[in-house]
Amino acid sequence: MPDPFQNVSAAGPELIEVFARQLELRAAEPAMVAIVEAYLDDLPWDAIGVAVEVGCGTGPNARRMAARSAKTRVLGIEPSPELLGHARRLAEGIDNLTFETGDGAALPLDDGTVDAIVFHTVLCHVVAPAELLTEAMRVLRPGGTLVVCDADFSKASLAGFDFDPLQACADFFFANYVTDRYLVAKLRTLAKAAGFHIQQFRITSRAVTDADGMLVWVRLGSAMMLGHGEIGQPLADALVAEYQRRNEAGTLYGHQPFATLVGTKAA
C-alpha cells in the first residue's frame, strides 16, 4: 500500500480526521515541543522577514514560528486542502501567518525570496525528497537557512519484550504509512547534494510513556491487518486495549529518534 501521507486528500474523510487529530496530539507532547523549540532557537529571527513551512499539515509548528517574531511573515504550504482547513481555523487571529495549498517540489514562490524554510516530518513521506530540497535551495535567499526535522522509523519501537504484539502493529504501520523508514540515515547526503552547508545535525529521543501519541501506530496497524483478513476484530480491539492498559498502568514505553538538520545556502 502506498503511504497515505503522499496524498492525504485521497485517504478519505475518516482517515483525514485521524491524521488531523494525530498531528495536533503529537505536536503537544512535551518531547516534541522541546524538539521544535530547539530548532526554532537555531534560527536568526531578527534577520528573518519571510519563513516558510513546507508540508505544514494542521499548522502547529507554523503557529510556533509565527509566535517567534511578529515582524516575520510565516507561510505554511500544504498539499491537502482538508488539513489546511484545520490549519486556518486553528490559526485564527494570528496576523503574521497565512496558508496556501501547494506542492513542495514546485513552490509558489520566486527565486531567492525566503529567509528560512522548514520541513517537519515531511521528507520521510516523499518519494523524491531530493526534489524538495532542490526547490528549497531555489527559493532561499543567499545565506538563508534550511531546517529539516524528521523521524527515524527504522529505529522506532513500542516493544517491551521479545515478540511484543504492539511492536508488530508498529512495524505494520511503518511499512504502510511511511515512504522511507531510513530517510534520516540519508538526510545529510541529500542536503549536501542539494548544495546546503550543514551547520548542525543532531538526534533527539521522543519517548512516550504516559500518552496516546503512539496509539495511532497500533490503531492503524491493527486496522490494516484486520482489513487484509489477517486478524479478527476481537484481536484488533485487544491490541488497542493493551496499549491503553499499559498507558494507564504506567508501563507503556515507546521510543523514536528524531533528527534535526540545520543547513545554509551559500551567501
Side-chain angles (χ1 to χ4, degrees):
M1 170 182 170
D3 177 357
F5 286 101
Q6 292 177 14
N7 185 357
V8 171
S9 294
E14 183 177 350
L15 202 51
I16 290 170
E17 289 304 308
V18 171
F19 292 163
R21 288 194 301 272
Q22 179 60 26
L23 288 170
E24 291 294 321
L25 180 68
R26 186 184 65 183
E29 290 177 11
M32 285 308 306
V33 171
I35 288 169
V36 173
E37 292 294 339
Y39 70 65
L40 294 183
D41 286 344
D42 292 329
L43 293 171
W45 290 101
D46 288 345
I48 297 176
V50 178
V52 174
E53 185 187 8
V54 178
C56 65
T58 55
N61 300 315
R63 298 195 299 272
R64 290 188 178 277
M65 292 165 66
R68 283 299 182 110
S69 172
K71 70 180 183 63
T72 301
R73 183 171 73 86
V74 177
L75 173 62
I77 295 177
E78 165 60 44
S80 165
E82 295 86 358
L83 292 183
L84 279 187
H86 288 276
R88 292 188 175 105
R89 286 192 295 275
L90 291 167
E92 287 180 3
I94 303 177
D95 295 335
N96 63 329
L97 174 58
T98 57
F99 296 96
E100 290 187 25
T101 304
D103 181 349
L107 296 171
L109 298 163
D110 293 332
D111 294 0
T113 56
V114 174
D115 299 297
I117 190 163
V118 174
F119 295 88
H120 184 89
T121 61
V122 170
L123 297 186
C124 69
H125 297 292
V126 173
V127 173
E131 294 180 6
L132 277 71
L133 292 173
T134 297
E135 185 69 350
M137 176 63 75
R138 179 186 70 79
V139 302
L140 278 171
R141 64 166 175 78
T145 305
L146 165 78
V147 175
V148 179
C149 181
D150 225 313
D152 185 351
F153 285 96
S154 74
K155 296 173 178 63
S157 176
L158 261 179
F161 51 88
D162 287 343
F163 313 114
D164 190 333
L166 294 193
Q167 186 62 36
C169 293
D171 289 338
F172 213 82
F173 175 85
F174 304 156
N176 290 280
Y177 284 85
V178 180
T179 299
D180 188 351
R181 284 175 280 180
Y182 295 92
L183 182 279
V184 164
K186 305 169 185 175
L187 186 52
R188 286 169 290 177
T189 300
L190 288 165
K192 289 177 182 177
F196 288 100
H197 299 286
I198 297 175
Q199 306 298 321
Q200 293 191 48
F201 181 78
R202 60 178 178 266
I203 304 296
T204 308
S205 293
R206 173 200 180 203
V208 174
T209 59
D210 59 356
D212 287 343
M214 293 176 178
L215 178 58
V216 67
W217 298 354
V218 178
R219 195 181 296 280
L220 293 182
S222 62
M224 185 166 287
M225 293 179 193
L226 177 65
H228 290 177
E230 292 162 333
I231 64 173
Q233 188 67 59
L235 179 54
D237 294 341
L239 290 164
V240 171
E242 174 58 15
Y243 180 104
Q244 295 168 330
R245 184 198 67 79
R246 294 185 198 182
N247 190 11
E248 292 169 4
T251 61
L252 179 69
Y253 177 61
H255 174 263
Q256 183 174 38
F258 267 74
T260 299
L261 180 146
V262 180
T264 55
K265 180 176 179 175

